[in-house]
Amino acid sequence: MRYLPLFKEEQILCCGRGHPLFSRKSAPTRDEINAFDYASRSYYGGVLKPGPMKPIRDAVKSGSMEGITAAILSGGFLGHLPEQCARPWISAGEMKPVLPTEMSYEALFECVLPAGSRTSRAQAVMEEIIIGSANNSE
């Protein structure tokens, strides 16, 4: 398989209104964070591969950002969301980042292509566009 980078997405740890960390003034420690239930993603076993947090209390799993968002908004769970998904809820005062400088991470999205196979014209054009787009964004 060949991997072509597409884009990076910032993932931030959040809690919702009603969660004990939401109105807390002092920053929690990692041990304190680990004591809370976590809403994780089901599509990679719930463990954040590149992230700084390996959930100990992996209580809820969802295959969608909407599911993770709902769990966070319930006030009962922490969870990582893409920054652009969390932003409207944070702006509305319904969600809050938790230790964003320590507990956030970047996820790389890639296009996966077969290696060593014949390339169709459509695939070759798509690869040219992806590579050209990546070169223009640097």
Side-chain angles (χ1 to χ4, degrees), residues 3-35:
Y3 297 83
L4 296 176
L6 295 173
F7 61 91
K8 293 179 182 176
E9 187 177 74
E10 183 77 10
Q11 307 290 315
I12 57 176
L13 183 65
C14 295
C15 66
R17 181 178 295 285
H19 191 278
L21 295 179
F22 189 85
S23 57
R24 184 170 165 167
K25 302 294 181 211
S26 62
T29 66
R30 284 185 186 230
D31 286 341
E32 289 173 316
I33 289 171
N34 285 335

Side-chain angles (χ1 to χ4, degrees), residues 20-98:
L21 295 179
F22 189 85
S23 57
R24 184 170 165 167
K25 302 294 181 211
S26 62
T29 66
R30 284 185 186 230
D31 286 341
E32 289 173 316
I33 289 171
N34 285 335
F36 293 107
D37 287 339
Y38 184 83
S40 64
R41 299 176 191 175
S42 60
Y43 46 86
Y44 47 64
V47 177
L48 299 169
K49 292 181 181 183
M53 182 177 180
K54 305 297 184 223
I56 293 172
R57 294 180 54 150
D58 195 13
V60 171
K61 291 186 190 300
S62 177
S64 71
M65 291 304 101
E66 293 81 7
I68 300 291
T69 300
I72 294 168
L73 288 171
S74 76
F77 304 91
L78 296 176
H80 278 91
L81 284 176
E83 190 275 333
Q84 72 273 12
C85 292
R87 186 181 320 123
W89 299 107
I90 292 169
S91 295
E94 296 298 318
M95 204 178 276
K96 178 180 169 182
V98 177

Side-chain angles (χ1 to χ4, degrees), residues 86-113:
R87 186 181 320 123
W89 299 107
I90 292 169
S91 295
E94 296 298 318
M95 204 178 276
K96 178 180 169 182
V98 177
L99 291 179
T101 57
E102 291 179 44
M103 301 305 290
S104 297
Y105 68 95
E106 266 188 355
L108 174 64
F109 286 75
E110 299 171 296
C111 178
V112 182
L113 302 165

